[in-house]
Amino acid sequence: MTAERQKSQKRMALPGGERGEAPGNSRGGTEAVMTGRGPESPESTARLMEEVCERENLKGALKRVQANKGSAGIDGMSVDELPDYLKGHWPVIREQLLSGTYRPRPVRRVEIPKPWGGVRKLGIPTVVDRFVQQAILQVVQPRWDPTFSDSSFGFRPGRSTHQAVERAQQHIAEGHGWVVDIDLEQFFDRVNHDLLMARVAKRIEDKRVLKVLRGFLTAGVMDGGLVNPVDEGTPQGGPLSPILSNLLLDDLDRELERRGHRFVRYADDCNIYVASERAGERVMASITGFLERKLKLKVNRSKSAVARVQERQFLGFTFSVDRQGKVKRRIATKALRRFGDTVRKKTRRNRNVSLTAMVEDLGMYLRGWRGYFGFCQTPRLLHKLDAWIRRRLRCVIWKQWKTSAQRHRRLRALGIGATLTHMTAGSRRGPWATSCSKGLQIALRNAYFDSLGLPRLEPAR
């Protein structure tokens, strides 16, 4: 290691003074955000790789990669093996990063089925490459994120899907009842590398960082034992993909703001809200041209549309507007259909698992679903879904009580009188019809399922 580099590292280890402000809080970056002048100048990022390789930044990157877990890349190394590997190999990796000779490895192709058909292609980097990507992300994100549009919500710190849905609801409530719903065809697979790197270069001067970022984009994909080169796209699966996609689509955000449009973007899902169908058609035509000419992206015309807000869904929600103009968030039909399919699979009467195991498995799914879709403003629907789930579980229990004698004993043990027990246990109706009988509803009350740990979807009153 040269004396000059050692001296540089020593300066960077000092708090304040010669080291300067922390990443994302430099005077140039803060001033740019406050004055609205855009991203900080490249001159302030001339030695960005040294910040990437700082000890505290690396510790944070390792912790985040371990927390995110994920599968192995093409080398088969697991996240659990990463700390020991870095202990022996980090000096070499660090030297490669600082000298600009680090070469990312190809990603492993993984295809994830989409809920409504087709597959989503993921590119899984090696855990070492994920670690390097995370270290770079932690340095550039505090600089870049404050410069992004206030109407962009995807994959940004402190922002969420619920905030995006709420912003869309606000635009609708202000009288913009038509939506220009733009669907970008295979966005993550079609990002133009030259366009993207040109935008990165406006924010980063350090050529070592630029080189490694392009290396991640062009490393290739291993599929079926062969490495296929790539000349476009940002593989989903690595820590840097979301912020790089936001960087490219920030051009779209700025164009929409320049034109004075009300819009909400979450990653590549963009909805523009207008007051009439005619205005929507004009916006659709002009923005489609902008995306395809300026950003070299393809708009899926079969999935994109200009429609009333009630007819389209956004991030799993749709909206209703009453005569007084009050807007409510509702769960989209597709999301409800998927929910129903999942619950049916988990509560099959022939699943051959105990009731306790079934409720535990179902409960995990319901808690996650409620955490997201509980944001709707239709408690009556959630009440109906709760009742439907309990009825399905009553069917399961009724079938597990195999014989009439066993059903008789169980009902009596649950406090049902002799006459009602005889009528219920002796019924020749099927499980679904019996599940809503008086005897079974009294025996298996809502409180019974509460005692099993079954969560309710309807908010507590």
Side-chain angles (χ1 to χ4, degrees):
M1 182 181 294
T2 65
E4 180 180 356
R5 180 169 292 167
Q6 289 176 337
K7 185 178 180 181
S8 171
Q9 290 168 5
K10 185 176 180 181
R11 286 200 307 268
M12 297 189 70
L14 295 173
E18 292 183 24
R19 177 172 181 250
E21 300 294 333
N25 293 320
S26 63
R27 184 176 301 172
T30 304
E31 184 181 44
V33 173
M34 292 178 64
T35 58
R37 289 203 300 263
E40 62 183 290
S41 63
E43 288 77 9
S44 64
T45 60
R47 298 186 63 80
L48 205 65
M49 190 60 83
E50 277 73 13
E51 291 188 33
V52 170
C53 294
E54 280 187 356
R55 181 176 177 82
E56 289 305 311
N57 185 56
L58 297 172
K59 286 170 63 177
L62 178 60
K63 186 176 180 180
R64 179 57 64 89
V65 170
Q66 289 176 308
N68 290 342
K69 299 185 182 298
S71 57
I74 62 171
D75 59 357
M77 185 189 301
S78 69
V79 172
D80 293 335
E81 296 174 281
L82 180 60
D84 287 339
Y85 180 86
L86 291 177
K87 286 179 182 177
H89 296 81
W90 173 245
V92 174
I93 297 172
R94 182 177 182 278
E95 183 60 31
Q96 290 174 346
L97 289 169
L98 292 173
S99 64
T101 59
Y102 182 84
R103 295 188 62 183
R105 302 189 67 180
V107 298
R108 181 170 65 89
R109 172 68 77 212
V110 175
E111 294 185 347
I112 306 296
K114 292 182 179 180
W116 306 108
V119 295
R120 177 176 289 108
K121 295 180 180 179
L122 300 183
I124 308 300
T126 65
V127 291
V128 174
D129 282 343
R130 292 212 295 274
F131 169 69
V132 174
Q133 284 195 36
Q134 182 64 40
I136 295 174
L137 175 67
Q138 291 173 178
V139 169
V140 301
Q141 189 168 56
R143 289 172 155 86
W144 296 1
D145 191 79
T147 71
F148 291 155
S149 170
D150 185 53
S151 296
S152 167
F153 291 86
F155 309 114
R156 297 182 59 189
R159 289 177 169 246
S160 68
T161 51
H162 286 174
Q163 291 174 338
V165 171
E166 208 165 30
R167 179 70 62 83
Q169 184 178 9
Q170 178 184 332
H171 292 325
I172 297 167
E174 291 170 352
H176 300 83
W178 288 81
V179 60
V180 181
D181 189 351
I182 297 177
D183 184 274
L184 294 175
E185 188 173 300
Q186 297 178 321
F187 167 73
F188 288 94
D189 297 328
R190 293 183 179 273
V191 170
N192 183 285
H193 289 171
D194 291 335
L195 285 176
L196 175 58
M197 289 306 301
R199 282 147 183 78
V200 175
K202 290 179 180 179
R203 296 168 179 255
I204 294 177
E205 187 186 34
D206 194 325
K207 288 181 170 52
R208 297 165 299 177
V209 178
L210 294 176
K211 185 177 180 181
V212 77
L213 287 178
R214 185 174 281 275
F216 282 124
L217 294 175
T218 60
V221 176
M222 179 169 283
D223 195 358
L226 298 175
V227 176
N228 301 314
V230 294
D231 55 10
E232 61 179 3
T234 59
Q236 295 184 76
L240 281 170
S241 181
I243 196 168
L244 291 177
S245 64
N246 271 335
L247 180 60
L248 183 66
L249 288 175
D250 189 56
D251 280 27
L252 170 63
D253 299 341
R254 298 307 175 190
E255 180 66 15
L256 292 171
E257 289 175 345
R258 186 184 68 80
R259 300 183 185 190
H261 291 311
R262 291 168 173 81
F263 70 98
V264 181
R265 184 175 66 78
Y266 192 95
D268 59 331
D269 199 345
C270 182
N271 279 5
I272 307 165
Y273 296 91
V274 295
S276 68
E277 182 178 17
R278 186 176 179 183
E281 296 292 354
R282 288 198 304 268
V283 171
M284 175 66 82
S286 61
I287 293 302
T288 296
F290 174 83
L291 287 166
E292 295 184 343
R293 288 193 307 271
K294 299 292 187 181
L295 299 184
K296 309 299 182 186
L297 299 171
K298 184 174 177 58
V299 174
N300 189 328
R301 286 167 170 78
S302 64
K303 293 184 178 180
S304 301
V306 176
R308 292 191 180 276
V309 293
Q310 298 93 322
E311 299 170 7
R312 305 294 289 185
Q313 72 91 26
F314 182 57
L315 301 177
F317 292 90
T318 189
F319 304 94
S320 64
V321 185
D322 62 21
R323 292 181 179 179
Q324 287 73 42
K326 187 175 181 179
V327 183
K328 282 189 177 181
R329 299 184 295 270
R330 296 182 176 274
I331 303 170
T333 302
K334 282 188 176 182
L336 284 173
R337 195 177 303 145
R338 184 183 180 190
F339 172 80
D341 291 343
T342 302
V343 171
R344 288 186 188 94
K345 288 179 182 178
K346 292 182 177 295
T347 57
R348 294 194 312 270
R349 295 197 289 274
N350 61 352
R351 196 176 167 194
N352 198 28
V353 297
S354 68
L355 179 65
T356 301
M358 181 178 288
V359 169
E360 183 177 355
D361 178 42
L362 179 63
M364 289 178 61
Y365 172 73
L366 294 179
R367 289 184 189 93
W369 192 90
R370 181 183 63 188
Y372 186 78
F373 288 103
F375 187 60
C376 73
Q377 295 173 311
T378 52
R380 185 178 299 178
L381 171 64
L382 298 181
H383 176 78
K384 288 182 178 179
L385 292 176
D386 277 331
W388 175 69
I389 293 168
R390 289 191 291 265
R391 186 174 178 184
R392 287 194 63 84
L393 289 174
R394 290 188 185 103
C395 289
V396 172
I397 295 170
W398 189 246
K399 183 156 186 193
Q400 289 181 350
W401 297 347
K402 296 182 181 297
T403 66
S404 177
Q406 186 178 7
R407 291 168 178 171
H408 191 279
R409 289 196 303 272
R410 295 279 190 172
L411 289 170
R412 291 292 287 161
L414 289 168
I416 306 303
T419 302
L420 187 54
T421 293
H422 178 73
M423 291 173 57
T424 307
S427 174
R428 294 187 177 183
R429 296 187 298 174
W432 185 248
T434 307
S435 65
C436 61
S437 65
K438 182 178 180 181
L440 208 56
Q441 287 200 339
I442 294 175
L444 303 175
R445 298 174 183 270
N446 296 350
Y448 173 79
F449 293 106
D450 292 341
S451 70
L452 295 177
L454 181 73
R456 298 194 188 193
L457 302 177
E458 183 182 20
R461 297 179 180 178

